[in-house]
Each structure stands twice: as structure tokens, then as C-alpha cells.
PDB file of all heavy atoms in Angstrom:
ATOM      1  N   PRO A   1     131.040 133.582  56.961  1.00  0.00           N
ATOM      2  CA  PRO A   1     129.893 133.126  56.192  1.00  0.00           C
ATOM      3  C   PRO A   1     129.439 131.780  56.736  1.00  0.00           C
ATOM      4  O   PRO A   1     130.204 131.075  57.403  1.00  0.00           O
ATOM      5  CB  PRO A   1     130.453 132.993  54.775  1.00  0.00           C
ATOM      6  CG  PRO A   1     131.921 132.851  54.951  1.00  0.00           C
ATOM      7  CD  PRO A   1     132.282 133.580  56.201  1.00  0.00           C
ATOM      8  N   VAL A   2     128.221 131.424  56.482  1.00  0.00           N
ATOM      9  CA  VAL A   2     127.655 130.171  56.971  1.00  0.00           C
ATOM     10  C   VAL A   2     127.016 129.443  55.822  1.00  0.00           C
ATOM     11  O   VAL A   2     126.243 130.034  55.054  1.00  0.00           O
ATOM     12  CB  VAL A   2     126.618 130.421  58.097  1.00  0.00           C
ATOM     13  CG1 VAL A   2     125.929 129.133  58.502  1.00  0.00           C
ATOM     14  CG2 VAL A   2     127.283 131.068  59.297  1.00  0.00           C
ATOM     15  N   VAL A   3     127.320 128.164  55.686  1.00  0.00           N
ATOM     16  CA  VAL A   3     126.742 127.325  54.634  1.00  0.00           C
ATOM     17  C   VAL A   3     125.832 126.273  55.270  1.00  0.00           C
ATOM     18  O   VAL A   3     126.256 125.568  56.195  1.00  0.00           O
ATOM     19  CB  VAL A   3     127.841 126.643  53.793  1.00  0.00           C
ATOM     20  CG1 VAL A   3     127.252 125.579  52.887  1.00  0.00           C
ATOM     21  CG2 VAL A   3     128.586 127.686  52.980  1.00  0.00           C
ATOM     22  N   VAL A   4     124.605 126.197  54.797  1.00  0.00           N
ATOM     23  CA  VAL A   4     123.633 125.236  55.309  1.00  0.00           C
ATOM     24  C   VAL A   4     123.121 124.423  54.116  1.00  0.00           C
ATOM     25  O   VAL A   4     122.545 124.968  53.189  1.00  0.00           O
ATOM     26  CB  VAL A   4     122.447 125.959  55.986  1.00  0.00           C
ATOM     27  CG1 VAL A   4     121.444 124.928  56.518  1.00  0.00           C
ATOM     28  CG2 VAL A   4     122.937 126.847  57.120  1.00  0.00           C
ATOM     29  N   THR A   5     123.358 123.123  54.156  1.00  0.00           N
ATOM     30  CA  THR A   5     122.867 122.218  53.117  1.00  0.00           C
ATOM     31  C   THR A   5     121.714 121.410  53.670  1.00  0.00           C
ATOM     32  O   THR A   5     121.804 120.845  54.765  1.00  0.00           O
ATOM     33  CB  THR A   5     123.991 121.284  52.622  1.00  0.00           C
ATOM     34  OG1 THR A   5     125.049 122.072  52.093  1.00  0.00           O
ATOM     35  CG2 THR A   5     123.482 120.356  51.538  1.00  0.00           C
ATOM     36  N   PHE A   6     120.632 121.367  52.920  1.00  0.00           N
ATOM     37  CA  PHE A   6     119.454 120.619  53.364  1.00  0.00           C
ATOM     38  C   PHE A   6     118.701 120.102  52.134  1.00  0.00           C
ATOM     39  O   PHE A   6     119.031 120.451  51.001  1.00  0.00           O
ATOM     40  CB  PHE A   6     118.543 121.516  54.224  1.00  0.00           C
ATOM     41  CG  PHE A   6     118.006 122.725  53.515  1.00  0.00           C
ATOM     42  CD1 PHE A   6     116.820 122.680  52.802  1.00  0.00           C
ATOM     43  CD2 PHE A   6     118.713 123.926  53.546  1.00  0.00           C
ATOM     44  CE1 PHE A   6     116.335 123.793  52.147  1.00  0.00           C
ATOM     45  CE2 PHE A   6     118.239 125.052  52.891  1.00  0.00           C
ATOM     46  CZ  PHE A   6     117.034 124.991  52.185  1.00  0.00           C
ATOM     47  N   THR A   7     117.691 119.291  52.359  1.00  0.00           N
ATOM     48  CA  THR A   7     116.944 118.738  51.240  1.00  0.00           C
ATOM     49  C   THR A   7     115.465 118.647  51.571  1.00  0.00           C
ATOM     50  O   THR A   7     115.082 118.436  52.730  1.00  0.00           O
ATOM     51  CB  THR A   7     117.472 117.342  50.845  1.00  0.00           C
ATOM     52  OG1 THR A   7     116.736 116.853  49.712  1.00  0.00           O
ATOM     53  CG2 THR A   7     117.352 116.337  51.972  1.00  0.00           C
ATOM     54  N   THR A   8     114.655 118.807  50.537  1.00  0.00           N
ATOM     55  CA  THR A   8     113.229 118.537  50.682  1.00  0.00           C
ATOM     56  C   THR A   8     112.933 117.052  50.492  1.00  0.00           C
ATOM     57  O   THR A   8     111.784 116.629  50.621  1.00  0.00           O
ATOM     58  CB  THR A   8     112.424 119.354  49.653  1.00  0.00           C
ATOM     59  OG1 THR A   8     112.955 119.102  48.339  1.00  0.00           O
ATOM     60  CG2 THR A   8     112.513 120.847  49.959  1.00  0.00           C
ATOM     61  N   GLY A   9     113.963 116.288  50.162  1.00  0.00           N
ATOM     62  CA  GLY A   9     113.825 114.841  50.015  1.00  0.00           C
ATOM     63  C   GLY A   9     114.108 114.111  51.312  1.00  0.00           C
ATOM     64  O   GLY A   9     114.139 114.696  52.399  1.00  0.00           O
ATOM     65  N   THR A  10     114.379 112.822  51.176  1.00  0.00           N
ATOM     66  CA  THR A  10     114.541 111.965  52.349  1.00  0.00           C
ATOM     67  C   THR A  10     115.973 111.778  52.796  1.00  0.00           C
ATOM     68  O   THR A  10     116.209 111.329  53.908  1.00  0.00           O
ATOM     69  CB  THR A  10     113.929 110.583  52.060  1.00  0.00           C
ATOM     70  OG1 THR A  10     114.592 109.997  50.926  1.00  0.00           O
ATOM     71  CG2 THR A  10     112.442 110.698  51.762  1.00  0.00           C
ATOM     72  N   SER A  11     116.940 112.112  51.933  1.00  0.00           N
ATOM     73  CA  SER A  11     118.327 111.881  52.314  1.00  0.00           C
ATOM     74  C   SER A  11     119.246 112.813  51.538  1.00  0.00           C
ATOM     75  O   SER A  11     118.884 113.357  50.486  1.00  0.00           O
ATOM     76  CB  SER A  11     118.751 110.416  52.059  1.00  0.00           C
ATOM     77  OG  SER A  11     118.659 110.116  50.672  1.00  0.00           O
ATOM     78  N   LEU A  12     120.471 112.974  52.040  1.00  0.00           N
ATOM     79  CA  LEU A  12     121.503 113.766  51.394  1.00  0.00           C
ATOM     80  C   LEU A  12     122.640 112.855  50.945  1.00  0.00           C
ATOM     81  O   LEU A  12     122.873 111.795  51.539  1.00  0.00           O
ATOM     82  CB  LEU A  12     122.064 114.827  52.366  1.00  0.00           C
ATOM     83  CG  LEU A  12     121.139 116.003  52.651  1.00  0.00           C
ATOM     84  CD1 LEU A  12     121.582 116.728  53.916  1.00  0.00           C
ATOM     85  CD2 LEU A  12     121.102 116.966  51.476  1.00  0.00           C
ATOM     86  N   PRO A  13     123.377 113.239  49.882  1.00  0.00           N
ATOM     87  CA  PRO A  13     124.511 112.434  49.457  1.00  0.00           C
ATOM     88  C   PRO A  13     125.592 112.396  50.521  1.00  0.00           C
ATOM     89  O   PRO A  13     125.688 113.299  51.362  1.00  0.00           O
ATOM     90  CB  PRO A  13     124.991 113.130  48.185  1.00  0.00           C
ATOM     91  CG  PRO A  13     124.464 114.506  48.288  1.00  0.00           C
ATOM     92  CD  PRO A  13     123.185 114.440  49.036  1.00  0.00           C
ATOM     93  N   ALA A  14     126.422 111.358  50.481  1.00  0.00           N
ATOM     94  CA  ALA A  14     127.406 111.129  51.544  1.00  0.00           C
ATOM     95  C   ALA A  14     128.827 111.511  51.143  1.00  0.00           C
ATOM     96  O   ALA A  14     129.750 111.351  51.956  1.00  0.00           O
ATOM     97  CB  ALA A  14     127.371 109.666  51.975  1.00  0.00           C
ATOM     98  N   GLY A  15     129.045 112.016  49.952  1.00  0.00           N
ATOM     99  CA  GLY A  15     130.390 112.360  49.523  1.00  0.00           C
ATOM    100  C   GLY A  15     130.957 113.553  50.277  1.00  0.00           C
ATOM    101  O   GLY A  15     130.226 114.457  50.683  1.00  0.00           O
ATOM    102  N   THR A  16     132.295 113.563  50.468  1.00  0.00           N
ATOM    103  CA  THR A  16     132.974 114.714  51.084  1.00  0.00           C
ATOM    104  C   THR A  16     134.243 115.032  50.310  1.00  0.00           C
ATOM    105  O   THR A  16     134.872 114.158  49.731  1.00  0.00           O
ATOM    106  CB  THR A  16     133.351 114.452  52.556  1.00  0.00           C
ATOM    107  OG1 THR A  16     134.307 113.382  52.618  1.00  0.00           O
ATOM    108  CG2 THR A  16     132.122 114.085  53.385  1.00  0.00           C
ATOM    109  N   VAL A  17     134.595 116.324  50.346  1.00  0.00           N
ATOM    110  CA  VAL A  17     135.834 116.813  49.729  1.00  0.00           C
ATOM    111  C   VAL A  17     136.517 117.684  50.762  1.00  0.00           C
ATOM    112  O   VAL A  17     135.894 118.581  51.346  1.00  0.00           O
ATOM    113  CB  VAL A  17     135.551 117.613  48.452  1.00  0.00           C
ATOM    114  CG1 VAL A  17     136.837 118.236  47.909  1.00  0.00           C
ATOM    115  CG2 VAL A  17     134.892 116.737  47.380  1.00  0.00           C
ATOM    116  N   SER A  18     137.795 117.432  51.010  1.00  0.00           N
ATOM    117  CA  SER A  18     138.508 118.220  52.022  1.00  0.00           C
ATOM    118  C   SER A  18     139.891 118.612  51.529  1.00  0.00           C
ATOM    119  O   SER A  18     140.420 118.042  50.574  1.00  0.00           O
ATOM    120  CB  SER A  18     138.624 117.449  53.337  1.00  0.00           C
ATOM    121  OG  SER A  18     139.401 116.284  53.167  1.00  0.00           O
ATOM    122  N   GLY A  19     140.444 119.609  52.174  1.00  0.00           N
ATOM    123  CA  GLY A  19     141.776 120.077  51.824  1.00  0.00           C
ATOM    124  C   GLY A  19     142.139 121.280  52.648  1.00  0.00           C
ATOM    125  O   GLY A  19     141.575 121.525  53.732  1.00  0.00           O
ATOM    126  N   THR A  20     143.078 122.065  52.143  1.00  0.00           N
ATOM    127  CA  THR A  20     143.566 123.249  52.838  1.00  0.00           C
ATOM    128  C   THR A  20     143.637 124.423  51.861  1.00  0.00           C
ATOM    129  O   THR A  20     144.050 124.251  50.703  1.00  0.00           O
ATOM    130  CB  THR A  20     144.978 122.998  53.425  1.00  0.00           C
ATOM    131  OG1 THR A  20     144.891 121.909  54.354  1.00  0.00           O
ATOM    132  CG2 THR A  20     145.491 124.223  54.166  1.00  0.00           C
ATOM    133  N   VAL A  21     143.221 125.586  52.337  1.00  0.00           N
ATOM    134  CA  VAL A  21     143.358 126.821  51.573  1.00  0.00           C
ATOM    135  C   VAL A  21     144.435 127.676  52.220  1.00  0.00           C
ATOM    136  O   VAL A  21     144.375 127.957  53.425  1.00  0.00           O
ATOM    137  CB  VAL A  21     142.036 127.598  51.523  1.00  0.00           C
ATOM    138  CG1 VAL A  21     142.229 128.946  50.819  1.00  0.00           C
ATOM    139  CG2 VAL A  21     140.958 126.784  50.806  1.00  0.00           C
ATOM    140  N   LEU A  22     145.436 128.063  51.456  1.00  0.00           N
ATOM    141  CA  LEU A  22     146.496 128.931  51.925  1.00  0.00           C
ATOM    142  C   LEU A  22     146.207 130.362  51.504  1.00  0.00           C
ATOM    143  O   LEU A  22     145.670 130.610  50.418  1.00  0.00           O
ATOM    144  CB  LEU A  22     147.845 128.487  51.376  1.00  0.00           C
ATOM    145  CG  LEU A  22     148.315 127.077  51.730  1.00  0.00           C
ATOM    146  CD1 LEU A  22     149.635 126.771  51.028  1.00  0.00           C
ATOM    147  CD2 LEU A  22     148.409 126.899  53.223  1.00  0.00           C
ATOM    148  N   ASN A  23     146.607 131.289  52.335  1.00  0.00           N
ATOM    149  CA  ASN A  23     146.566 132.720  51.988  1.00  0.00           C
ATOM    150  C   ASN A  23     147.932 133.295  52.235  1.00  0.00           C
ATOM    151  O   ASN A  23     148.263 133.669  53.368  1.00  0.00           O
ATOM    152  CB  ASN A  23     145.509 133.442  52.825  1.00  0.00           C
ATOM    153  CG  ASN A  23     145.437 134.929  52.469  1.00  0.00           C
ATOM    154  OD1 ASN A  23     146.047 135.373  51.510  1.00  0.00           O
ATOM    155  ND2 ASN A  23     144.674 135.687  53.250  1.00  0.00           N
ATOM    156  N   PRO A  24     148.790 133.375  51.217  1.00  0.00           N
ATOM    157  CA  PRO A  24     150.156 133.879  51.398  1.00  0.00           C
ATOM    158  C   PRO A  24     150.210 135.276  51.993  1.00  0.00           C
ATOM    159  O   PRO A  24     151.207 135.651  52.604  1.00  0.00           O
ATOM    160  CB  PRO A  24     150.728 133.851  49.990  1.00  0.00           C
ATOM    161  CG  PRO A  24     149.950 132.792  49.280  1.00  0.00           C
ATOM    162  CD  PRO A  24     148.564 132.912  49.819  1.00  0.00           C
ATOM    163  N   GLY A  25     149.120 136.038  51.839  1.00  0.00           N
ATOM    164  CA  GLY A  25     149.104 137.386  52.377  1.00  0.00           C
ATOM    165  C   GLY A  25     148.470 137.529  53.744  1.00  0.00           C
ATOM    166  O   GLY A  25     148.380 138.654  54.258  1.00  0.00           O
ATOM    167  N   GLY A  26     148.035 136.417  54.349  1.00  0.00           N
ATOM    168  CA  GLY A  26     147.400 136.549  55.655  1.00  0.00           C
ATOM    169  C   GLY A  26     146.581 135.334  56.019  1.00  0.00           C
ATOM    170  O   GLY A  26     146.894 134.204  55.656  1.00  0.00           O
ATOM    171  N   ASP A  27     145.494 135.587  56.737  1.00  0.00           N
ATOM    172  CA  ASP A  27     144.659 134.544  57.329  1.00  0.00           C
ATOM    173  C   ASP A  27     143.665 134.014  56.278  1.00  0.00           C
ATOM    174  O   ASP A  27     142.924 134.785  55.670  1.00  0.00           O
ATOM    175  CB  ASP A  27     143.898 135.172  58.499  1.00  0.00           C
ATOM    176  CG  ASP A  27     143.105 134.162  59.307  1.00  0.00           C
ATOM    177  OD1 ASP A  27     142.995 132.991  58.888  1.00  0.00           O
ATOM    178  OD2 ASP A  27     142.572 134.556  60.370  1.00  0.00           O
ATOM    179  N   PRO A  28     143.615 132.684  56.057  1.00  0.00           N
ATOM    180  CA  PRO A  28     142.648 132.139  55.099  1.00  0.00           C
ATOM    181  C   PRO A  28     141.254 131.915  55.674  1.00  0.00           C
ATOM    182  O   PRO A  28     140.336 131.540  54.919  1.00  0.00           O
ATOM    183  CB  PRO A  28     143.282 130.809  54.705  1.00  0.00           C
ATOM    184  CG  PRO A  28     143.980 130.371  55.961  1.00  0.00           C
ATOM    185  CD  PRO A  28     144.507 131.653  56.584  1.00  0.00           C
ATOM    186  N   SER A  29     141.057 132.125  56.957  1.00  0.00           N
ATOM    187  CA  SER A  29     139.763 131.856  57.544  1.00  0.00           C
ATOM    188  C   SER A  29     138.695 132.761  56.929  1.00  0.00           C
ATOM    189  O   SER A  29     138.981 133.856  56.457  1.00  0.00           O
ATOM    190  CB  SER A  29     139.776 132.033  59.068  1.00  0.00           C
ATOM    191  OG  SER A  29     140.041 133.374  59.406  1.00  0.00           O
ATOM    192  N   ALA A  30     137.466 132.265  56.915  1.00  0.00           N
ATOM    193  CA  ALA A  30     136.306 132.934  56.299  1.00  0.00           C
ATOM    194  C   ALA A  30     136.329 132.872  54.774  1.00  0.00           C
ATOM    195  O   ALA A  30     135.524 133.513  54.122  1.00  0.00           O
ATOM    196  CB  ALA A  30     136.154 134.364  56.783  1.00  0.00           C
ATOM    197  N   THR A  31     137.236 132.075  54.220  1.00  0.00           N
ATOM    198  CA  THR A  31     137.203 131.796  52.785  1.00  0.00           C
ATOM    199  C   THR A  31     136.094 130.785  52.491  1.00  0.00           C
ATOM    200  O   THR A  31     135.848 129.881  53.281  1.00  0.00           O
ATOM    201  CB  THR A  31     138.550 131.248  52.302  1.00  0.00           C
ATOM    202  OG1 THR A  31     139.553 132.244  52.478  1.00  0.00           O
ATOM    203  CG2 THR A  31     138.516 130.830  50.852  1.00  0.00           C
ATOM    204  N   VAL A  32     135.440 130.963  51.357  1.00  0.00           N
ATOM    205  CA  VAL A  32     134.410 130.016  50.931  1.00  0.00           C
ATOM    206  C   VAL A  32     135.003 129.087  49.883  1.00  0.00           C
ATOM    207  O   VAL A  32     135.669 129.531  48.942  1.00  0.00           O
ATOM    208  CB  VAL A  32     133.217 130.774  50.323  1.00  0.00           C
ATOM    209  CG1 VAL A  32     132.192 129.785  49.765  1.00  0.00           C
ATOM    210  CG2 VAL A  32     132.563 131.654  51.371  1.00  0.00           C
ATOM    211  N   VAL A  33     134.783 127.802  50.045  1.00  0.00           N
ATOM    212  CA  VAL A  33     135.187 126.805  49.039  1.00  0.00           C
ATOM    213  C   VAL A  33     133.919 126.307  48.365  1.00  0.00           C
ATOM    214  O   VAL A  33     132.951 125.909  49.034  1.00  0.00           O
ATOM    215  CB  VAL A  33     135.952 125.650  49.693  1.00  0.00           C
ATOM    216  CG1 VAL A  33     136.257 124.577  48.638  1.00  0.00           C
ATOM    217  CG2 VAL A  33     137.231 126.148  50.318  1.00  0.00           C
ATOM    218  N   ALA A  34     133.906 126.357  47.030  1.00  0.00           N
ATOM    219  CA  ALA A  34     132.736 125.956  46.255  1.00  0.00           C
ATOM    220  C   ALA A  34     133.140 124.962  45.196  1.00  0.00           C
ATOM    221  O   ALA A  34     134.227 125.057  44.612  1.00  0.00           O
ATOM    222  CB  ALA A  34     132.089 127.186  45.618  1.00  0.00           C
ATOM    223  N   LEU A  35     132.278 124.005  44.929  1.00  0.00           N
ATOM    224  CA  LEU A  35     132.488 123.004  43.896  1.00  0.00           C
ATOM    225  C   LEU A  35     131.532 123.280  42.750  1.00  0.00           C
ATOM    226  O   LEU A  35     130.302 123.217  42.909  1.00  0.00           O
ATOM    227  CB  LEU A  35     132.253 121.599  44.441  1.00  0.00           C
ATOM    228  CG  LEU A  35     133.062 121.178  45.671  1.00  0.00           C
ATOM    229  CD1 LEU A  35     132.729 119.744  46.056  1.00  0.00           C
ATOM    230  CD2 LEU A  35     134.564 121.335  45.436  1.00  0.00           C
ATOM    231  N   PHE A  36     132.098 123.602  41.575  1.00  0.00           N
ATOM    232  CA  PHE A  36     131.302 123.912  40.391  1.00  0.00           C
ATOM    233  C   PHE A  36     131.381 122.743  39.397  1.00  0.00           C
ATOM    234  O   PHE A  36     132.470 122.249  39.093  1.00  0.00           O
ATOM    235  CB  PHE A  36     131.849 125.156  39.679  1.00  0.00           C
ATOM    236  CG  PHE A  36     131.598 126.433  40.412  1.00  0.00           C
ATOM    237  CD1 PHE A  36     132.434 126.859  41.424  1.00  0.00           C
ATOM    238  CD2 PHE A  36     130.535 127.250  40.056  1.00  0.00           C
ATOM    239  CE1 PHE A  36     132.215 128.046  42.089  1.00  0.00           C
ATOM    240  CE2 PHE A  36     130.301 128.445  40.715  1.00  0.00           C
ATOM    241  CZ  PHE A  36     131.143 128.850  41.734  1.00  0.00           C
ATOM    242  N   SER A  37     130.244 122.358  38.853  1.00  0.00           N
ATOM    243  CA  SER A  37     130.276 121.425  37.737  1.00  0.00           C
ATOM    244  C   SER A  37     130.648 122.127  36.440  1.00  0.00           C
ATOM    245  O   SER A  37     131.108 121.497  35.493  1.00  0.00           O
ATOM    246  CB  SER A  37     128.941 120.695  37.606  1.00  0.00           C
ATOM    247  OG  SER A  37     127.885 121.633  37.411  1.00  0.00           O
ATOM    248  N   ASP A  38     130.415 123.437  36.379  1.00  0.00           N
ATOM    249  CA  ASP A  38     130.775 124.258  35.225  1.00  0.00           C
ATOM    250  C   ASP A  38     131.184 125.633  35.764  1.00  0.00           C
ATOM    251  O   ASP A  38     130.405 126.280  36.454  1.00  0.00           O
ATOM    252  CB  ASP A  38     129.601 124.393  34.267  1.00  0.00           C
ATOM    253  CG  ASP A  38     129.967 125.079  32.945  1.00  0.00           C
ATOM    254  OD1 ASP A  38     130.832 125.979  32.962  1.00  0.00           O
ATOM    255  OD2 ASP A  38     129.377 124.723  31.913  1.00  0.00           O
ATOM    256  N   LEU A  39     132.393 126.079  35.435  1.00  0.00           N
ATOM    257  CA  LEU A  39     132.873 127.357  35.948  1.00  0.00           C
ATOM    258  C   LEU A  39     132.167 128.556  35.352  1.00  0.00           C
ATOM    259  O   LEU A  39     132.240 129.656  35.891  1.00  0.00           O
ATOM    260  CB  LEU A  39     134.370 127.482  35.707  1.00  0.00           C
ATOM    261  CG  LEU A  39     135.294 126.663  36.614  1.00  0.00           C
ATOM    262  CD1 LEU A  39     136.728 126.827  36.151  1.00  0.00           C
ATOM    263  CD2 LEU A  39     135.162 127.087  38.056  1.00  0.00           C
ATOM    264  N   PHE A  40     131.482 128.388  34.213  1.00  0.00           N
ATOM    265  CA  PHE A  40     130.974 129.532  33.496  1.00  0.00           C
ATOM    266  C   PHE A  40     129.444 129.607  33.444  1.00  0.00           C
ATOM    267  O   PHE A  40     128.890 130.478  32.798  1.00  0.00           O
ATOM    268  CB  PHE A  40     131.544 129.529  32.063  1.00  0.00           C
ATOM    269  CG  PHE A  40     133.022 129.748  32.046  1.00  0.00           C
ATOM    270  CD1 PHE A  40     133.885 128.663  32.095  1.00  0.00           C
ATOM    271  CD2 PHE A  40     133.559 131.016  32.034  1.00  0.00           C
ATOM    272  CE1 PHE A  40     135.248 128.862  32.093  1.00  0.00           C
ATOM    273  CE2 PHE A  40     134.930 131.221  32.046  1.00  0.00           C
ATOM    274  CZ  PHE A  40     135.794 130.143  32.079  1.00  0.00           C
TER     275      PHE A  40
END
């Protein structure tokens, strides 16, 4: 999958979040990580 972040404004926020995703059953690549302000 491919994620593209862009803005119709003049700038983007500078915050970053990083970590590691494990897949005990195999390869974690192609997993999507999403940040929700509300899960529901």
C-alpha cells in the first residue's frame, strides 16, 4: 500500500511517530499503521 500526505495549505505539521510492528506468524511488511483520534 502507499500513503501520500499532502495539503492544500502552505505547510504540513512536523510531528512524527515511529516504532516496530511484529507479526508472530510471519512477515509484518505491507502492514498499515494508522493514528486515530477516536477508534469508533
Side-chain angles (χ1 to χ4, degrees):
V2 174
V3 169
V4 180
T5 300
F6 60 89
T7 182
T8 53
T10 59
S11 63
L12 286 163
T16 64
V17 174
S18 64
T20 300
V21 175
L22 300 177
N23 180 8
D27 187 351
S29 64
T31 295
V32 175
V33 176
L35 304 181
F36 288 83
S37 58
D38 188 327
L39 284 175
F40 294 91

